[in-house]
Amino acid sequence: MTDTLSDADLDLIFREARSFNGWHDKEVADDQIHAIYELMKMGPTSANQQPGRFVWCKSRESRERLAKCASEGNQKKILTAPVCVIIGYDLDFHEQLPWLFPHTDAKSWFEGDEEGRRESAFRNSALQGAYLMLAARSLGLDCGPMSGFDQEATTKEFFADQPRYRADWLCSIGYGDRTTIFDRSPRPDFDRFNQLI
Ligand SMILES: Cc1cc2nc3c(=O)[nH]c(=O)nc-3n(C[C@H](O)[C@H](O)[C@H](O)COP(=O)(O)O)c2cc1C
């Protein structure tokens, strides 16, 4: 029994993992999507808000609808991926807090504070998207995150029945084709952007 991941695990999740632009023609099963969610939902969010709202576009039809909302450069990355998930958030996530954070009245913290809710939903749904990518990689899948798309159009197209949801970013998921990626861009050394005080 070891209490850290192996070097191979860390390579899989971080060191060798890349943001993919192209995909092998290999399906991602619904079970794999559920397995990603079962892991990612365990990641922490402030007061267990869980503000992320996710639309997993798997059918050809749903990916075509999504690609129409994307920048030209991202359209193919959506159409050729087995799955592309919309990471959105609920501006009224606080309505769920009575069951998500039952030991105190956290809902009241956010009532009447639209700007505070927006900030919190944005922060915590982005965290959930990061957990999503790490969960997918942990399960042997690859990711291609994207923000080059029309958020408003996507919100209208996919969240029409949920007027308080907003689309924020996208992530293609599948088996990445390594011939489609650039060389790794530099990552800053610790001393550059960190202070250890
Ligand atoms: C939130 C987010 C938005 C991104 N948007 C795009 C995008 O619209 N189009 C694209 O081709 N890549 C996009 N990327 C990919 C980044 O350029 C890529 O993750 C970064 O250069 C690191 O690449 P690497 O993971 O292969 O090292 C995005 C990444 C993130 C995390």
Side-chain angles (χ1 to χ4, degrees):
M1 203 49 190
T2 163
D3 60 2
T4 66
L5 296 179
S6 69
D7 254 354
D9 295 330
L10 295 172
D11 285 345
L12 182 75
I13 303 170
F14 292 104
R15 290 188 290 240
E16 297 295 331
R18 297 296 310 276
S19 299
F20 279 90
N21 298 312
W23 304 93
H24 292 297
D25 185 14
K26 186 175 170 189
E27 200 201 346
V28 172
D30 292 3
D31 283 355
Q32 289 172 287
I33 293 171
H34 283 267
I36 294 170
Y37 183 72
E38 292 305 313
L39 289 177
M40 63 177 270
K41 75 180 184 183
M42 304 313 294
T45 52
S46 169
N48 199 32
Q49 288 165 6
Q50 307 273 341
R53 302 293 181 263
F54 309 94
V55 183
W56 304 80
C57 298
K58 184 176 168 186
S59 67
R60 177 80 196 175
E61 180 263 336
S62 62
R63 282 179 292 121
E64 277 172 4
R65 280 168 61 207
L66 183 56
K68 283 191 186 127
C69 302
S71 67
E72 209 182 316
N74 283 337
Q75 288 176 4
K76 202 168 157 211
K77 300 176 192 182
I78 295 167
L79 291 171
T80 56
V83 181
C84 187
V85 54
I86 303 167
I87 293 107
Y89 54 85
D90 181 2
L91 286 167
D92 286 347
F93 65 84
H94 66 308
E95 300 288 354
Q96 310 294 328
L97 291 180
W99 70 272
L100 283 171
F101 202 60
H103 55 277
T104 189
D105 180 16
K107 182 181 171 192
S108 67
W109 305 342
F110 293 98
E111 264 156 355
D113 184 9
E114 175 90 19
E115 181 49 30
R117 291 208 301 277
R118 197 206 59 77
E119 183 182 318
S120 203
F122 186 62
R123 175 184 300 127
N124 286 286
S125 65
L127 281 171
Q128 288 182 279
Y131 304 143
L132 182 159
M133 290 196 286
L134 297 182
R137 288 171 170 179
S138 303
L139 295 169
L141 292 159
D142 293 307
C143 298
M146 290 167 280
S147 52
F149 72 111
D150 184 334
Q151 278 103 342
E152 214 178 301
T154 305
T155 295
K156 280 201 187 112
E157 179 70 20
F158 290 89
F159 293 135
D161 57 341
Q162 296 287 350
R164 302 296 286 161
Y165 290 12
R166 299 288 181 271
D168 186 26
W169 56 286
L170 312 174
C171 189
S172 286
I173 293 176
Y175 298 90
D177 176 355
R178 286 209 169 248
T179 64
T180 66
I181 48 178
F182 310 103
D183 291 342
R184 184 74 111 172
S185 300
R187 298 301 206 265
D189 289 335
F190 185 88
D191 287 343
R192 189 132 192 177
F193 298 133
N194 294 263
Q195 298 179 59
L196 180 56
I197 56 176

